[in-house]
mmCIF file of all heavy atoms in Angstrom:
data_model
loop_
_atom_site.group_PDB
_atom_site.id
_atom_site.type_symbol
_atom_site.label_atom_id
_atom_site.label_comp_id
_atom_site.label_asym_id
_atom_site.label_seq_id
_atom_site.Cartn_x
_atom_site.Cartn_y
_atom_site.Cartn_z
ATOM 1 N N LEU Y 932 73.258 66.003 136.447
ATOM 2 C CA LEU Y 932 73.361 64.531 136.732
ATOM 3 C C LEU Y 932 72.956 63.707 135.545
ATOM 4 O O LEU Y 932 71.857 64.022 134.958
ATOM 5 C CB LEU Y 932 72.506 64.165 137.970
ATOM 6 C CG LEU Y 932 72.502 62.639 138.277
ATOM 7 C CD1 LEU Y 932 73.834 62.243 138.876
ATOM 8 C CD2 LEU Y 932 71.389 62.288 139.227
ATOM 9 N N THR Y 943 62.702 48.584 120.943
ATOM 10 C CA THR Y 943 62.565 49.776 120.144
ATOM 11 C C THR Y 943 62.201 50.951 120.976
ATOM 12 O O THR Y 943 62.780 52.030 120.840
ATOM 13 C CB THR Y 943 61.509 49.524 119.101
ATOM 14 O OG1 THR Y 943 61.816 48.348 118.338
ATOM 15 C CG2 THR Y 943 61.334 50.697 118.142
ATOM 16 N N GLN Y 954 53.367 59.739 144.259
ATOM 17 C CA GLN Y 954 52.452 60.173 143.304
ATOM 18 C C GLN Y 954 52.583 59.403 141.986
ATOM 19 O O GLN Y 954 53.362 58.487 141.860
ATOM 20 C CB GLN Y 954 52.656 61.663 143.046
ATOM 21 C CG GLN Y 954 52.399 62.487 144.306
ATOM 22 C CD GLN Y 954 52.426 63.985 144.019
ATOM 23 O OE1 GLN Y 954 52.276 64.449 142.908
ATOM 24 N NE2 GLN Y 954 52.607 64.771 145.076
ATOM 25 N N GLN Y 964 66.057 55.669 119.186
ATOM 26 C CA GLN Y 964 67.386 55.197 118.771
ATOM 27 C C GLN Y 964 67.736 55.823 117.411
ATOM 28 O O GLN Y 964 66.984 55.713 116.442
ATOM 29 C CB GLN Y 964 67.438 53.677 118.729
ATOM 30 C CG GLN Y 964 68.830 53.121 118.651
ATOM 31 C CD GLN Y 964 69.363 52.916 117.274
ATOM 32 O OE1 GLN Y 964 68.570 52.642 116.332
ATOM 33 N NE2 GLN Y 964 70.672 53.063 117.010
ATOM 34 N N THR Y 969 61.820 62.496 121.673
ATOM 35 C CA THR Y 969 60.489 63.220 121.504
ATOM 36 C C THR Y 969 60.044 63.600 122.920
ATOM 37 O O THR Y 969 59.720 62.766 123.699
ATOM 38 C CB THR Y 969 59.481 62.289 120.846
ATOM 39 O OG1 THR Y 969 59.968 61.818 119.619
ATOM 40 C CG2 THR Y 969 58.122 63.065 120.642
ATOM 41 N N ILE Y 981 68.703 63.715 126.242
ATOM 42 C CA ILE Y 981 68.624 62.269 126.248
ATOM 43 C C ILE Y 981 69.463 61.769 125.128
ATOM 44 O O ILE Y 981 69.489 62.233 124.062
ATOM 45 C CB ILE Y 981 67.104 61.850 126.092
ATOM 46 C CG1 ILE Y 981 66.315 62.125 127.324
ATOM 47 C CG2 ILE Y 981 67.038 60.347 125.678
ATOM 48 C CD1 ILE Y 981 64.787 61.908 127.121
ATOM 49 N N VAL Y 1010 57.340 46.473 125.224
ATOM 50 C CA VAL Y 1010 57.538 45.277 124.387
ATOM 51 C C VAL Y 1010 56.215 44.799 123.868
ATOM 52 O O VAL Y 1010 55.196 44.906 124.566
ATOM 53 C CB VAL Y 1010 58.287 44.213 125.193
ATOM 54 C CG1 VAL Y 1010 59.654 44.648 125.558
ATOM 55 C CG2 VAL Y 1010 57.490 43.725 126.311
ATOM 56 N N ASN Y 1017 50.929 46.282 123.607
ATOM 57 C CA ASN Y 1017 52.280 45.987 124.165
ATOM 58 C C ASN Y 1017 52.236 46.283 125.631
ATOM 59 O O ASN Y 1017 51.265 46.729 126.230
ATOM 60 C CB ASN Y 1017 53.294 46.913 123.481
ATOM 61 C CG ASN Y 1017 52.863 48.387 123.529
ATOM 62 O OD1 ASN Y 1017 52.916 49.040 124.512
ATOM 63 N ND2 ASN Y 1017 52.360 48.915 122.406
#
Side-chain angles (χ1 to χ4, degrees):
Chain Y
L932 175 72
T943 303
Q954 297 190 20
Q964 195 270 328
T969 304
I981 289 171
V1010 298
N1017 52 76

